[in-house]
């Protein structure tokens, strides 16, 4: 065993994790383009993609072009972008708080973004979810820091505080939806269970820009996050402004989650499940962890949406139910494995 391998037992396999997850995400996306209520042969899918890329050998059929390019491509890309954003935010929160249970939904950032989106819809504003997500992220950061001054932020405290916050904010989302104008506000199922069915090129463009900027911001903080893993006192000693970094990261997390929720609603457990699995494969170093988590999140959401569209076709299940069906048991296993229950 080399000195480097002894220092970093994940070094040998880390180089393969991100490429394999990227290939798997691309494969799931290609399969998803052909499957659904209307099955499109693989050759027709390639013809449509080639035609719009200017590389077509054969002219695609009108139906295949309409279904694949106008409906499924923006939907699949939206799932990939949202999944990547949610997974990266989960990895950042887990690293920042040194807590494997930290997650945008558990800290009520997702429900807070949903509340902002509902209020924004009533006011005729399309970006209310982003503002709600940023506000929820900042408030969650302040609350966690206040709790941290009086007691250690053990995972059980995260569970209690997170469940209480999430339930309260979700209740307000329901209250506003049911008391508001149904012609202006999407239904409660969209906000709390998530759906990619309304994805369009325009919505994809808006969400992708905000999520890309937020994820780039979070990736730039990989080194300070590695230092924070040593503890706040050690990070300060090494030159990290912990309070400023926490505030900046929570704003970026809130913006990414807000853009995701505004586009597709709340999709839970992505930010909890993906970083935990990736960390076991590639180790705790944040730059490779965040990069691999982005592809892992894209893979999970695209695959979950494919199941949501096909498992009881032509009926479509909310994609959040699929991720919850996987993430719920995983969450229970994680709690029991860590000895919190």
């Amino acid at each position: 065993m080399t000195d480097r391998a002894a220092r970093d037992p994940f070094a040998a396999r880390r180089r393969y994790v991100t490429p394999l997850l990227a290939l798997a995400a691309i494969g799931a996306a290609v399969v998803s383009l052909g499957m659904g209520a209307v099955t499109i042969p693989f050759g027709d899918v390639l013809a449509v993609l080639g035609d719009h890329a200017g590389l077509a050998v054969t002219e695609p059929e009108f139906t295949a072009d309409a279904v694949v390019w106008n409906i499924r491509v923006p939907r699949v890309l939206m799932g990939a972008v949202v999944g990547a954003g949610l997974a990266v935010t989960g990895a950042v929160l887990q690293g920042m708080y040194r807590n494997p249970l930290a997650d945008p939904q558990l800290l009520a950032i997702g429900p807070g973004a949903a509340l902002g989106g509902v209020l924004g819809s009533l006011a005729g504003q399309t970006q209310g979810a982003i503002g709600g997500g940023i506000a929820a992220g900042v408030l969650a950061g302040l609350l966690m820091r206040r709790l941290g001054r009086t007691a250690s932020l053990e995972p059980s405290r995260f569970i209690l505080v997170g469940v209480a916050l999430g339930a309260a904010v979700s209740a307000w989302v329901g209250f506003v939806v049911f008391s508001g104008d149904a012609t202006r506000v999407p239904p409660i199922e969209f906000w709390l269970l998530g759906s990619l069915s309304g994805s369009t090129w325009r919505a994809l463009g808006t969400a992708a820009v905000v999520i890309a900027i937020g994820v780039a911001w979070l990736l730039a903080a990989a080194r300070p996050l590695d230092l924070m893993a040593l503890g706040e006192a050690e990070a300060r000693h090494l030159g990290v402004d912990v309070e400023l970094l926490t505030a900046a990261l929570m704003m970026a997390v809130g913006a990414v989650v807000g853009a995701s929720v505004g586009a597709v609603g709340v999709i839970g457990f992505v930010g909890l499940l993906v970083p935990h699995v990736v960390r076991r494969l590639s180790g705790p170093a944040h730059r490779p962890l965040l990069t691999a988590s982005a592809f892992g999140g894209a893979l999970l959401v695209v695959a979950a949406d494919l199941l949501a569209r096909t498992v009881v076709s032509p009926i479509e299940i909310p994609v959040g139910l699929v991720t919850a069906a996987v993430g719920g048991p995983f969450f229970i296993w994680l709690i029991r494995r860590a000895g919190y229950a």
Side-chain angles (χ1 to χ4, degrees):
M1 181 180 293
T2 64
D3 292 340
R4 181 181 179 183
R7 293 194 304 269
D8 186 357
F10 298 97
R13 56 174 134 161
R14 183 179 294 140
R15 69 186 67 177
Y16 303 109
V17 173
T18 298
L20 288 176
L21 287 174
L23 288 175
I26 292 171
V30 172
V31 171
S32 188
L33 291 177
M35 296 183 64
V38 177
T39 301
I40 306 296
F42 180 67
D44 290 344
V45 171
L46 293 181
V48 171
L49 297 178
D51 181 63
H52 286 275
L55 304 172
V57 177
T58 60
E59 186 74 16
E61 295 183 359
F62 175 80
T63 300
D65 184 77
V67 172
V68 172
W69 188 254
N70 295 327
I71 298 175
R72 291 186 184 167
V73 171
R75 178 171 185 150
V76 169
L77 291 178
M78 180 72 83
V81 169
V82 166
L86 292 177
V88 169
T89 58
V92 168
L93 291 173
Q94 290 170 18
M96 184 165 52
Y97 290 112
R98 303 184 300 283
N99 192 315
L101 301 179
D103 169 77
Q105 272 59 55
L106 188 60
L107 291 177
I109 301 174
L115 180 58
V118 170
L119 295 173
S121 297
L122 288 176
Q125 300 294 322
T126 59
Q127 305 304 321
I130 298 176
I134 293 174
V138 172
L139 290 175
L142 291 174
L143 178 59
M144 290 300 113
R145 180 155 294 279
R146 181 175 179 82
L147 290 174
R149 290 196 180 101
T150 58
S152 60
L153 282 173
E154 71 275 8
S156 58
R157 183 175 291 269
F158 259 88
I159 297 171
L160 294 174
V161 174
V163 168
L165 280 174
V169 178
S170 296
W172 277 104
V173 172
F175 176 80
V176 175
V177 169
F178 287 117
S179 62
D181 185 352
T183 63
R184 303 175 66 180
V185 181
I188 189 69
E189 292 84 358
F190 168 82
W191 293 111
L192 298 184
L193 297 179
S195 175
L196 299 177
S197 62
S199 300
T200 63
W201 285 109
R202 181 178 180 179
L204 172 64
T206 301
V209 169
V210 177
I211 292 173
I213 294 174
V215 167
W217 190 344
L218 297 174
L219 283 170
R223 177 59 179 167
L225 282 170
D226 287 338
L227 297 179
M228 285 189 68
L230 303 174
E232 289 193 3
E234 290 79 2
R236 288 193 180 91
H237 180 72
L238 294 171
V240 177
D241 188 333
V242 174
E243 287 75 17
L244 179 61
L245 177 64
T246 300
L249 291 179
M250 292 304 287
M251 289 181 64
V253 166
V256 171
V257 175
S260 301
V261 171
V264 302
V266 173
I267 301 178
F269 293 103
V270 177
L272 175 71
L273 194 156
V274 173
H276 186 82
V277 173
V278 172
R279 190 178 292 107
R280 294 174 68 87
L281 296 174
S282 66
H286 278 88
R287 187 168 298 281
L289 171 64
L290 297 181
T291 304
S293 292
F295 289 109
L299 171 62
L300 176 60
V301 174
V302 169
D305 183 58
L306 177 59
L307 286 175
R309 292 190 288 113
T310 59
V311 67
V312 288
S313 181
I315 299 173
E316 184 173 316
I317 301 172
V319 67
L321 289 182
V322 179
T323 58
V326 177
F330 174 83
F331 183 57
I332 295 173
W333 172 82
L334 185 60
I335 293 174
R336 292 187 60 85
R337 180 177 179 272
Y340 306 131

